[in-house]
């Protein structure tokens, strides 16, 4: 758009050409959106969460729409690490965009192994460690809500990889700042937040939960105020680069996160509604910067006046 | 494939709560094949700012002629209620055509189509597309008030049979009652309808008879990205595997579908 | 509507003629809605939170609309106990509807004193103890997120009053079930949940928070899935009567809570949009029961099939 | 007072992004007094199911004649953008009339009205209601494009003066520049406009001169129930106390309003 505006941001050693990334689990393995988006314009692509072994996920129905958002209980279905590296990663290497691999393990050992095996794999730009999935008991929910375990997992992964290490936090906690501090102490390079909030919805006609799994993760505009508040709390608690996630549907939403202090943002549920959402958000941020006569997005980041 | 803007040409209500929507689509919209579907969503129009969050919704192609896409839908909830009030000229986003399609009945002598409820929509496109008089069509509905398209089928096909649950039209009973007990070779069956209907068919149709069914599941993206629309499928090796209805389907060989026992 | 349908529910010794109550802080002191509603049809009226001393609350702006709900940072403004008893309570006594007094203290002593002084005041049917307000540091947030403190406050209030004791929980916690258990152990007669989730919203034009207080409490449809999930978790953890709150806008929403296991529900933010919301919800529940051929609302409560 | 259904009779756009909305109201709607306001909200119409959450919005009464309520509004965000697309026949909910009103200028010789921006709306109703030629009206706007109603004021009153921030119409400057340096006894001032304007007035007008201003604050309920619309007011005893703009206001004696120093 405007050649004079700098959109490049840094997350540790990782240089992103734009602060607009995709959120894990909402952009498939990237290719699904190639028809809709110029994948080269994205700051980064975060792929669907990967575990050591392939996983089948939960029985359907897995999704239901609720006011202001949706619940999902995918149950972390994924192709597993081997198939990811052999089948999903190669087509993505065609793009000039960093690929961030979202990983989760059932125990500490799996996290270490995932990190070890992904270290040095060509085409992997960074790891995003999901210690926060609320759907599957083994999905790490016990790591993400306890600051000691969060720190433990972070330091294990830290030792296992030289890749930039992003840890993704769950909002289903009393004190997100203490978890963020623990993760920082564990050696994370950056923190992304938030994952989904656990929710439920009832079919009053059949008097049963809409989701076969009973509960699921709430995403979409409904969680945006909570995500912003947590970003604000974490920003005051740690000095790591933060990646804002939660209900970002348009450029205005994205700007709220950048202003509050996120150095980058991830677009999730919005991709389902508008597969071009990431492009339109990128355009919108550039337009806002131009209109506000800001030549570098970094001057906007964290500029909230209180 | 991209999302395009369609505009409402006409909307009719042939039966109460059942609507036939004709949309003008741009040239870039690829011609769909029978069984394929589209995802529809509101445009960020003037009133969009007051509109709440809404995922796109999947609808089978009911008919397609160059530049014109038809959808047959039943009013059941939030978005279909909104759609029922569309008026000519209004715009909406169309993502598609999506998914796979019914394999053509090439070389088959005995072609049977089973359509239950709103499942007539894709079966209409199928029969019209292949336009063979020897297609035998079986249509089922809860009641006469929900019975759709039997006239249209009669125009295309020689044999059309109707069943309603309450006997208010045609035979009283289930559409699956029409399934012959023995089937000639070179039979192929195509079906779309409620889960219970497809599950009955799966118990009644011998494994050696070809049967292709179109499945439904809740969808968020329609393009294989969210993994919301999971269905369990038997692999050749006899193992259960997960497939996406939107990308790997919506049409699957009936014998490959895993039915839960609850 | 249908004379044959029983809508009466019990919360301990408290008999309500309907499960539809109002939520504290969203129905004023009741009188404000007398023009719109037949206050006699309500199950109970829960009044705005009362503290020992009058409170001025937070500076404006105090409210902002967000997707699927609103944020408020009223800051627990109230007339104080004395003025409440002398001015606000008497007009309410005209109605044939139980008045539940929502109270909060700055410390344990205040909670005890509030309970002691309200015990035996004519016209007070029950206490709802707010240990969960997220807006004001002294509003009890430290009580509601810690199970030991929650139990402590509950048992103090329990000893100070013979009134039915409802404790209202905050959703801003990792494990709501453990707080519920603590409150049950402390001697509560019932639990109401949820209060608001802490959120934030940013004015990108002025690059400052929309609320003067920076953060505020999120209410409305956005929080309904979270409220339902917490109700479900608490229902499995304790056997006390539960009162469901959070984003109830219409009868369908109310029925989701009843089916999930709430013996009564509170209508909050909906009152601002439609001051007749409580009446329409009551009608809608009755209609649903009639259509489902259920003659007693108690048979519906907790009937969720999983 | 209850909520009633109003229906759109007409909607005009006298200046870009500024709309004059005429609503037919039922007989039960009490006649409002100048300074009072209403809360407007969407009806749960056919499309309501796809509409998101939306609080009602406050608007001053611009005019009222039996059965007909007029609102002058500026398009600034979500709900006013929706309102800008209303068309005749559409229904909306009206809660009101709400709040207190301007005290009548009884026995006052020198009556001055200051209206800034969209604050002309209640001041229009005021001047029309009391219809005294000796009312002097001062209208301010950012620019000619946002200047409203000066013609109407001219029809009613003998003296009307205009100021725009950019000088594109009338005097270049602020409407408060018109405030005379000395004021006769029996002067009364009425004002509505942006906070900055009212705050200037509060510094310029001597305490012994009567001045009544209409305040704005974010509202959720409009009936004193949510305590969202708080304003700090000086009590007679010189203490700060909290009042609700919707119930205790929107009109307050200017000298009673506490202005924050930031
Ligand atoms: C591949 C595919 C093709 C389809 N083709 C057609 C078609 O041609 N015509 C047509 O009328 N409908 C069709 N459907 C179903 C259609 O998508 C749903 O009726 C629609 O999404 C309902 O939207 P709503 O907002 O009106 O209902 P909602 O308010 O979302 O839900 C109303 C009720 O319908 C149920 N429901 C919602 N979506 C589904 C679903 N996908 N499957 C089963 N139950 C559901 C809900 O549980 C709820 O009880 C198709 C679905 C799929 C997956
Ligand atoms: C007593 C009273 C009388 C009013 N009378 C009129 C009138 O006659 N004509 C008219 O055009 N407007 C009037 N207003 C203001 C009007 O209520 C707001 O413009 C309207 O609520 C904006 O709604 P929205 O959804 O379009 O904007 P939103 O999308 O809610 O907000 C858009 C922008 O406007 C700001 N804003 C929203 N509400 C207010 C408010 N109450 N005060 C200050 N800023 C606000 C927001 O911060 C935001 O920047 C009145 C307000 C009050 C309190
Ligand atoms: C269908 C779906 C699948 C998701 N899968 C994952 C996942 O595998 N790993 C992960 O860390 N987060 C996952 N998430 C969470 C998102 O990455 C994101 O944190 C969350 O949805 C909030 O953002 P949003 O409101 O923009 O969607 C998933 C979310 C959705 C909706
Ligand atoms: C403006 C406002 C004021 C509130 N004040 C109180 C209060 O004083 N005490 C309390 O326990 N809860 C208070 N609440 C919380 C509500 O009682 C209720 O728990 C919450 O709003 C969720 O319900 P809802 O989504 O139906 O509004 C308040 C909520 C709002 C919106
Ligand atoms: S609907 Fe998203 S994967 Fe099928
Ligand atoms: S708007 Fe609710 S108290 Fe004034």
């Amino acid at each position: 758009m405007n050649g004079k505006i700098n959109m490049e941001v840094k997350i540790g050693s990782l240089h992103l050409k734009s602060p607009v990334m995709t959120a894990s689990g909402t952009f498939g393995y990237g290719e699904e959106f190639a028809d809709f988006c110029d994948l080269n314009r994205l700051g980064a692509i975060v792929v669907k969460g990967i575990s050591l072994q392939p996983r089948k996920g939960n029985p359907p129905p897995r999704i239901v729409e609720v006011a202001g958002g949706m619940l999902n209980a995918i149950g972390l279905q994924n192709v597993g690490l081997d198939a990811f590296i052999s089948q999903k990663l190669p087509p993505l290497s065609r793009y000039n965009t960093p690929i961030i691999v979202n990983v989760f393990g059932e125990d500490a050992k799996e996290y270490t192994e995932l990190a070890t095996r992904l270290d040095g794999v060509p085409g992997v730009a960074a790891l995003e460690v999901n210690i926060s999935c609320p759907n599957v008991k083994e999905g790490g929910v016990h790591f993400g809500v306890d600051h000691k375990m969060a720190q433990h997992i972070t330091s294990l992964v830290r030792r296992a990889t030289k890749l930039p290490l992003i840890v993704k936090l769950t909002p289903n906690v009393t004190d997100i700042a203490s978890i963020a501090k623990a993760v920082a102490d564990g050696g994370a390079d950056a923190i992304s937040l938030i994952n989904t909030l656990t929710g439920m919805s009832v079919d009053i006609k059949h008097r049963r939960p809409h989701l076969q799994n009973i509960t699921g993760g709430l995403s979409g505009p409904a969680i945006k105020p909570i995500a912003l508040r947590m970003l604000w709390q974490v920003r005051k608690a740690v000095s790591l680069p933060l990646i804002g996630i939660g209900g970002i549907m348009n450029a205005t939403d994205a700007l709220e996160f950048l202003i509050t202090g996120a150095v980058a943002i991830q677009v999730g549920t919005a991709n389902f509604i508008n597969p071009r959402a990431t492009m339109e958000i990128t355009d919108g941020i550039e337009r806002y910067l131009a209109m506000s006569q800001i030549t570098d997005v970094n001057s906007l980041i964290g500029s909230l006046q209180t | 494939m991209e999302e395009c803007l369609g505009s409402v040409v006409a909307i009719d209500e042939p039966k109460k709560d059942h609507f036939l929507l004709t949309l003008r689509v741009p040239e870039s919209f690829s011609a769909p094949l029978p069984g394929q579907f589209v995802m529809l969503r509101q445009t960020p129009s003037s009133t969009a700012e007051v509109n709440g969050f809404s995922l796109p919704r999947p609808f089978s192609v009911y008919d397609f002629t160059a530049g014109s896409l038809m959808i047959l839908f039943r009013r059941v909830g939030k978005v279909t209620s909104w759609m029922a009030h569309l008026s000519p000229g209004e715009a909406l986003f169309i993502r598609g055509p999506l998914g796979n399609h019914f394999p053509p009945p090439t070389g088959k002598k005995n072609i049977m189509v089973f359509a239950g409820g709103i499942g007539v929509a894709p079966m209409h496109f199928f029969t019209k597309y292949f336009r063979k008089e020897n297609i035998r069509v079986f249509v089922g509905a809860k009641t006469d008030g929900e019975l759709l398209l039997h006239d249209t089928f009669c125009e295309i096909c020689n044999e059309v049979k109707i069943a309603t649950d309450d006997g208010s039209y045609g035979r009283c009973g289930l559409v699956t009652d029409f399934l012959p007990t023995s089937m000639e070779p070179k039979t192929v069956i195509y079906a779309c309808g409620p889960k219970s209907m497809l599950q009955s068919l799966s118990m009644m149709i011998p494994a050696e008879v070809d049967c292709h069914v179109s499945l439904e599941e809740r969808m968020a993206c329609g393009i294989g990205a969210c993994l919301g629309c999971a269905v369990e499928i038997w692999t050749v090796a006899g193992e259960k595997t997960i497939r996406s209805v939107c990308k790997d389907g919506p049409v699957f060989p009936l014998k490959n579908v895993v039915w839960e026992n609850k």
Side-chain angles (χ1 to χ4, degrees), chain A residues 23-25 48-49 72 76 102 130 168 194-195 219-220 245-247 268-269:
Chain A
S24 177
K48 174 73 188 161
N72 89 78
L76 295 175
N102 181 287
N130 178 8
K168 182 167 176 181
I194 59 177
N195 212 310
S219 64
I245 322 171
T269 303

Side-chain angles (χ1 to χ4, degrees), chain B residues 219-222 224-229 244 246:
Chain B
M219 295 188 173
C221 71
C226 72
L227 305 182
C229 61
S244 292
C246 70

Side-chain angles (χ1 to χ4, degrees), chain B residues 81-185:
Chain B
S81 299
W82 165 75
M83 285 167 58
H85 285 88
L86 282 169
S87 42
E90 282 190 77
L92 29 77
F93 272 115
I94 307 172
R95 186 181 310 168
L98 300 167
N100 66 1
H101 53 86
F102 290 110
T106 327
K108 299 290 182 172
K109 277 212 181 127
N110 184 19
I111 307 167
M112 287 191 274
V113 162
F114 285 84
I118 195 71
V120 295
M123 302 330 295
H124 172 266
F125 191 36
F126 177 90
T127 46
K128 220 197 108 181
Y129 191 92
F130 292 110
R131 219 172 236 293
K132 305 208 177 189
E133 310 78 37
N134 65 332
I135 296 180
R136 292 192 284 156
V137 180
F138 306 100
V139 181
K142 279 210 190 101
T143 175
D144 187 21
E146 300 188 359
L147 184 66
L148 292 155
L149 298 181
H150 52 290
D151 295 348
T152 325
F153 283 120
C154 291
E155 282 167 32
I156 305 173
C157 310
N158 288 343
E159 190 180 336
V160 178
K161 286 188 177 160
I162 315 288
T164 53
D165 294 6
D166 63 358
S168 51
Y169 195 101
R171 175 164 170 176
C172 179
L174 299 172
V175 67
T176 47
D177 298 344
F178 291 120
L179 196 77
T181 38
S182 79
M183 273 168 271
E184 357 165 1

Side-chain angles (χ1 to χ4, degrees), chain A residues 52-53 81-82 85 112-121 160:
Chain A
L52 272 184
Q53 301 304 323
L81 184 62
D82 291 333
I85 294 178
T112 313
E113 193 171 337
L114 282 159
T116 311
R117 290 190 44 202
L118 279 161
D119 194 38
V121 170

